[in-house]
């Protein structure tokens, strides 16, 4: 079921469905008392030109601006982090095209609510008015709930607008996704947040003033989220009123407000984007960047044990035999964290990513393993050569198992030059190709020497 604030609609609910009846989520939203409306609501833009941010979509000649100017709404999905204007843009779209606006929250709504919303849309249609159906957090609808929307979107009964913080490629059914244009919204930058703060001060904060460092502090904690910034400003206003303060500095903010960690979704795109950035910083031999992403994730609440596992993986994938100490350092860091916990154990993880970032890089072992797996997956089952087979019984020895096997330790240089170890008829694949870096320089030189001895044995 949708909650108060999830739906704006000016048509009456379906017959028998009052504002507090079977479908409370479909009741029209009454205008809030301006004196008591949250700051984020009272400052919500009423025109497209009042929107701060998203210039890549709303600037002159940009895609979403053109959509508003087209004269006909189309189904769309707004994908972006919290507090960047997804709901505001949906409401403005309804206003621009004089559409009834029905909104559902996918957190609280189900198929029953979708059907009730469609009944309301049919009433609008009978009155000659089109309907925009806005589904907030569309990624929270399961497949059957998303499928329930399709017939109504296809028939044109509603223009569908979805909002999501998750990648719609993974979270929205392909059938629904193919019928909607995806617009990617971005976090507000510092200048845009500062512009929003100035607007709030001039329109809603009365005589209360902020010094520049205070504004910078709030912008930092807002982390690109306009709604969070306005909520912080409102908290400052409330705290200042209780304290009799008329000018707010950074010290007042730190003392009076409960400031949460930066935006971090442990299961969403932001999580995987930051893991990707950490891994690529290590691979790119940039210790400062690696430390930055590690500490960003720790600050945001990522599980240090998960990070430890990823660090071990980085050592094996991107460093490998070019510096075998990297694997040991990564493993030791993981064990140290298990012993010390947070925050002491996080230091070990930090030093591990520094070591991995500055270590010699090679993915030769990783690539060799992938080549071998790909070959085996598509190849036939080859017999083990007789001379390599184990012969623990008399019968096996009589069958020739292990016959003519050359024990490497009894050979010159502890190497049986010319011996074969692959199945009969299989060519040397050359999967492992040492990189010319770190210890693999020496490994490559040794392999070249062994191949030379093999050639000399074949010529003898």
């Amino acid at each position: 079921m949708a909650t108060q604030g999830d739906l704006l609609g000016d048509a009456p609910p379906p017959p028998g469905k009052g504002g507090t009846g079977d479908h409370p989520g479909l009741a029209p939203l009454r205008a809030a008392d301006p004196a008591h409306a949250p700051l984020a609501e009272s400052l919500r833009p009423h025109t497209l030109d009042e929107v701060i941010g998203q210039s890549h979509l709303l600037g002159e000649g940009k895609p979403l601006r053109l959509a508003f100017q087209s004269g006909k709404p189309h189904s769309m999905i707004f994908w972006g982090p919290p507090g960047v204007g997804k709901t505001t843009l949906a409401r403005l779209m309804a206003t621009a095209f004089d559409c009834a606006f029905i909104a559902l929250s996918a957190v609280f709504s189900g198929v029953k609510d979708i059907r009730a919303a469609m009944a309301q849309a049919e009433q609008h249609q009978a009155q000659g008015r089109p309907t925009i159906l806005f589904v907030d957090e569309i990624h929270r609808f399961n497949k059957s709930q998303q499928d329930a929307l399709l017939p109504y979107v296809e028939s044109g009964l509603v223009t569908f607008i979805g909002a999501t913080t998750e990648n719609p490629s993974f979270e929205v059914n392909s059938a629904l996704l193919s019928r909607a244009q995806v617009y990617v919204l971005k976090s507000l930058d510092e200048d845009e947040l500062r512009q929003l703060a100035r607007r709030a001060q001039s329109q809603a904060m009365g005589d209360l003033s902020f010094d520049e460092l205070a504004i910078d502090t709030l912008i930092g904690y807002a982390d690109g989220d306009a709604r969070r910034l306005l909520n912080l400003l409102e908290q400052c206003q409330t705290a200042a009123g209780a304290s009799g303060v008329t000018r707010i500095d950074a010290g007042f903010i730190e003392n009076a407000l409960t400031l949460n960690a930066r935006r971090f979704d442990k299961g969403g795109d932001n999580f995987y984007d930051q893991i990707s950035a950490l891994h690529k910083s290590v691979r790119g031999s940039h210790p400062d960047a690696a430390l930055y992403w590690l500490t960003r994730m720790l600050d945001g609440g990522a599980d240090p044990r998960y990070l430890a596992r990823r660090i071990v993986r980085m050592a094996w994938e991107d460093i490998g035999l070019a510096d075998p100490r990297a694997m040991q350092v990564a493993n030791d860091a993981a064990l140290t964290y298990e012993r010390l916990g947070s925050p002491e154990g996080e230091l070990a993880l930090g030093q591990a990513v520094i070591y991995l970032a500055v270590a010699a890089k090679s993915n030769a072992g990783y690539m060799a393993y992938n080549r071998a797996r790909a070959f085996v997956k598509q190849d036939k089952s080859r017999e083990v050569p007789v001379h390599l087979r184990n012969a623990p019984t008399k019968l096996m020895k009589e069958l020739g198992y292990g016959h003519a096997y050359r024990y490497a330790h009894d050979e010159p240089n502890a190497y049986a030059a010319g011996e074969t170890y692959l199945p009969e008829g299989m060519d040397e694949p050359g999967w492992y190709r040492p990189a010319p870096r770190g210890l693999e320089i020496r490994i490559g030189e040794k392999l070249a020497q062994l191949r030379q001895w093999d050639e000399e044995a074949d010529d003898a």
Side-chain angles (χ1 to χ4, degrees), residues 405-416 421:
Y405 168 67
R406 297 162 59 193
Y407 188 58
H409 294 288
D410 292 340
E411 300 282 339
N413 302 305
Y415 181 69
Y421 297 94

Side-chain angles (χ1 to χ4, degrees), residues 54 56-58 62-65 67 74-81 86 89 93 138-139 146 160-186 269:
Q54 314 313 323
H56 65 295
L57 295 175
L58 297 176
K62 298 300 182 180
L64 199 50
R65 169 77 64 168
H74 62 265
S75 292
M76 60 188 72
I77 294 174
F78 295 140
W79 171 27
K86 298 186 289 294
L89 289 171
M93 184 70 70
I138 181 64
H139 60 278
Q146 293 185 30
F160 164 71
I161 299 181
T164 177
T165 57
E166 304 294 334
N167 189 331
S169 300
F170 304 129
E171 305 295 341
V172 179
N173 289 358
S174 57
L176 188 58
L177 189 62
S178 68
R179 291 162 175 79
Q181 176 68 44
V182 176
Y183 294 102
V184 182
L185 278 63
K186 299 179 181 179
D269 289 330

Side-chain angles (χ1 to χ4, degrees), residues 135-422:
V135 181
D136 195 17
E137 300 190 81
I138 181 64
H139 60 278
R140 299 289 291 273
F141 267 167
N142 60 33
K143 184 178 185 302
S144 63
Q145 291 167 325
Q146 293 185 30
D147 286 343
L149 292 171
L150 279 174
Y152 306 109
V153 176
E154 290 176 337
S155 69
L157 176 62
V158 297
T159 298
F160 164 71
I161 299 181
T164 177
T165 57
E166 304 294 334
N167 189 331
S169 300
F170 304 129
E171 305 295 341
V172 179
N173 289 358
S174 57
L176 188 58
L177 189 62
S178 68
R179 291 162 175 79
Q181 176 68 44
V182 176
Y183 294 102
V184 182
L185 278 63
K186 299 179 181 179
S187 298
L188 275 65
D189 63 28
E190 291 187 4
D191 289 340
E192 290 164 344
L193 289 173
R194 189 167 280 105
Q195 181 183 349
L196 180 61
R198 285 197 296 266
R199 177 183 295 178
Q201 286 181 264
S202 64
Q203 296 184 13
M205 309 298 286
D207 295 332
L208 186 64
S209 63
F210 295 75
D211 67 25
E212 283 302 311
L213 185 55
I215 293 296
D216 289 343
T217 300
L218 293 175
I219 287 173
Y221 278 104
D223 201 24
D225 184 329
R227 184 167 53 245
R228 179 183 286 187
L229 176 63
L230 292 175
N231 288 342
L232 290 171
L233 285 167
E234 191 167 29
Q235 291 174 39
C236 286
Q237 187 177 33
T238 300
S243 304
V245 172
T246 59
R247 181 169 179 79
I248 291 177
D249 58 20
F252 180 87
I253 291 171
E254 296 288 350
N255 291 326
L257 271 60
T258 301
L259 298 170
N260 298 322
R262 295 182 183 278
R263 182 176 62 245
F264 188 82
D265 182 353
K266 298 180 186 179
D269 289 330
N270 202 36
F271 176 88
Y272 293 107
D273 286 346
Q274 291 185 32
I275 274 291
S276 176
L278 171 60
H279 196 152
K280 289 171 181 173
S281 298
V282 167
R283 181 184 295 148
S285 300
H286 200 302
D288 287 345
L291 274 177
Y292 171 77
W293 293 115
L294 175 71
T295 53
R296 268 287 301 276
M297 297 194 77
L298 290 171
D299 178 68
D303 183 357
R305 292 177 178 84
Y306 172 81
L307 294 173
R309 292 195 296 272
R310 290 303 299 253
I311 291 167
V312 172
R313 164 73 183 200
M314 295 171 203
W316 286 101
E317 179 177 336
D318 290 298
I319 297 167
L321 299 180
D323 186 350
R325 294 170 297 183
M327 281 80 84
Q328 187 61 52
V329 169
N331 279 319
D332 286 349
L335 290 173
T336 298
Y337 181 81
E338 288 297 330
R339 176 169 292 185
L340 297 181
S342 293
E344 292 87 352
E346 294 167 4
L347 173 61
L349 302 182
Q351 295 201 39
V353 299
I354 293 173
Y355 187 94
L356 268 56
V358 301
K361 302 299 188 296
S362 172
N363 70 345
Y366 172 70
M367 296 301 294
Y369 173 73
N370 288 341
R371 293 182 189 111
R373 285 199 64 178
F375 177 85
V376 168
K377 187 174 183 179
Q378 57 82 38
D379 190 41
K380 62 184 180 182
S381 296
R382 298 174 184 261
E383 297 291 336
V384 176
V386 174
H387 71 285
L388 296 181
R389 296 183 187 182
N390 191 28
T393 69
K394 180 180 179 182
L395 175 61
M396 290 179 174
K397 291 177 182 177
E398 290 174 352
L399 292 174
Y401 285 23
H403 179 67
Y405 168 67
R406 297 162 59 193
Y407 188 58
H409 294 288
D410 292 340
E411 300 282 339
N413 302 305
Y415 181 69
E419 182 65 283
T420 59
Y421 297 94
L422 290 168

